[in-house]
Amino acid sequence: MSDLWFDAEWLSLRRRADHQARDTLLNEEANYWLAQRGRANIVDLGAGHGNNAQYLIPWLGQAQHWRLVDHDSKLLAQAEKVLAPMAEEGHHIQSLVCDLNALNLEDIHQQWPIDLVTASALFDLASLSWLEALVEQVVEIQAAALWVLNVNGHWKIEGHKHPLDETIRQAFNAHQRRHKGLGDGSALGPMAVHEAMRLFKSLGYQVQTRTSVWTLLAGSAYTKAMGFRLINGWHQAACDMLPDQSDAFDVWFVDRQTALNQGQIGLEVGHTDLYAEPLAD
Ligand SMILES: C[S@@+](CC[C@H](N)C(=O)[O-])C[C@H]1O[C@@H](n2cnc3c(N)ncnc32)[C@H](O)[C@@H]1O
């Protein structure tokens, strides 16, 4: 699976950890913003198969109109199925197959005024130029932004330590800075949320951030399933970045998977959620 195309199985697996991690205070801020506007037209960027909308719809009181934007039509078709019960409750959900490199929020806004631009687990893929252009578009239309589950580079293996854990973490974070296809140039990876905060503030928005950590306790079946995927990804990224150390990383991989399966280690993966809105007059 490339960095641009995500498998539905992985997105479904992480849904529980995502939803448990999210910061509820920022939901309240978004809810208050929408209540003041008396309307809830929401764009979800990189919506995948609907994790973000599935989580947020029950939090945002009024009837909502969602545009789910992604370049993967199969994921969007799944999103429509996942969200069908919410559509039956009166929320309006529409998919838009679109490459985010070609997104023009102002065009959408002309026909359908946007109140909130949201996204989950997306911005680590973004380059600085793409992010700058997006923040400018959001500010231009004076919408609020709720951008959540932005990886912040902190992860930790709880319990039995291994001397290579830190080397692997740093190699993974460096791997995240490779070009991922959202804009030109290298991806921001764990720096994305800091850049987004800086950009919004420089354009007169007020910004709040909160951490949202996946906490995967040692020994549970869920931790084993998530941990298998995470350790695999960290190992592959480290081998890509430092191929001359791949023999040692292979030993690390076996050690960590064994410890995971024996319930000796838990995992924490850090994210930062961001909410931004125009400063009140
Ligand atoms: C990590 S997934 C997150 C999906 C969803 N927001 C969630 O929280 O489960 C990133 C999403 O961004 C989409 N994506 C990546 N690059 C894209 C691009 N250039 N244009 C449109 N969508 C893109 C992928 O198809 C995928 O659905």
Side-chain angles (χ1 to χ4, degrees):
M1 195 59 46
S2 85
D3 296 315
L4 293 178
W5 302 92
F6 288 79
D7 69 297
E9 201 187 319
W10 167 238
L11 297 180
S12 297
L13 181 64
R14 54 176 287 173
R15 188 187 328 248
R16 174 173 144 188
D18 282 349
H19 290 190
Q20 282 174 349
R22 287 182 65 158
D23 183 84
T24 57
L25 180 91
L26 300 186
N27 302 338
E28 302 288 4
E29 294 290 351
N31 196 23
Y32 186 64
W33 165 260
L34 294 172
Q36 282 178 312
R37 289 167 80 100
R39 191 187 58 204
N41 286 352
I42 303 166
V43 175
D44 186 10
L45 305 177
H49 74 348
N51 268 349
N52 191 22
Q54 191 186 24
Y55 171 86
L56 270 180
I57 286 173
W59 273 97
L60 306 177
Q62 57 191 302
Q64 298 149 44
H65 293 250
W66 284 76
R67 290 258 164 106
L68 309 180
V69 183
D70 205 288
H71 62 173
D72 189 329
S73 57
K74 287 194 186 132
L75 286 179
L76 288 176
Q78 290 185 34
E80 288 190 11
K81 277 193 199 145
V82 167
L83 300 171
M86 292 167 172
E88 279 166 22
E89 287 168 9
H91 302 293
H92 190 260
I93 295 151
Q94 209 181 342
S95 295
L96 178 62
V97 180
C98 171
D99 182 345
L100 290 174
N101 289 297
L103 180 77
N104 188 331
L105 282 181
E106 286 163 56
D107 275 359
I108 300 176
H109 185 70
Q110 292 301 323
Q111 297 150 26
W112 183 78
I114 299 168
D115 302 300
L116 177 70
V117 177
T118 186
S120 65
L122 179 70
F123 291 104
D124 56 294
L125 305 177
S127 70
L128 182 58
S129 59
W130 185 84
L131 190 70
E132 281 169 347
L134 178 66
V135 171
E136 277 168 21
Q137 290 186 59
V138 172
V139 172
E140 184 65 34
I141 63 174
Q142 291 286 288
L146 179 60
W147 295 355
V148 302
L149 295 162
N150 304 295
V151 286
N152 62 19
H154 297 293
W155 55 256
K156 196 158 67 175
I157 298 182
E158 294 285 0
H160 162 63
K161 300 284 173 219
H162 189 288
L164 282 178
D165 287 348
E166 185 53 22
T167 309
I168 303 253
R169 190 183 68 84
Q170 286 181 17
F172 175 74
N173 286 347
H175 192 272
Q176 285 221 301
R177 304 295 306 267
R178 289 180 164 191
H179 177 62
K180 310 273 184 189
L182 263 188
D184 296 327
S186 56
L188 288 164
M191 293 309 295
V193 71
H194 302 287
E195 291 297 341
M197 183 165 49
R198 181 184 63 77
L199 290 163
F200 273 121
K201 282 186 173 170
S202 73
L203 293 173
Y205 267 42
Q206 51 189 337
V207 183
Q208 296 182 57
T209 58
R210 312 280 284 192
T211 52
S212 51
V213 181
W214 285 349
T215 306
L216 304 166
L217 299 177
S220 81
Y222 184 63
T223 293
K224 289 178 188 175
M226 286 286 283
F228 174 77
R229 296 286 296 245
L230 289 168
I231 289 168
N232 208 15
W234 295 337
H235 169 248
Q236 277 178 15
C239 291
D240 281 357
M241 293 306 292
L242 301 167
D244 53 331
Q245 294 188 52
S246 56
D247 288 349
F249 294 159
D250 291 348
V251 175
W252 176 89
F253 174 77
V254 173
D255 179 281
R256 299 331 251 149
Q257 292 288 7
T258 306
L260 177 76
N261 287 325
Q262 291 176 348
Q264 293 168 354
I265 56 172
L267 304 169
E268 275 187 13
V269 180
H271 307 90
T272 304
D273 295 355
L274 171 151
Y275 174 73
E277 67 175 37
L279 271 172
D281 293 330

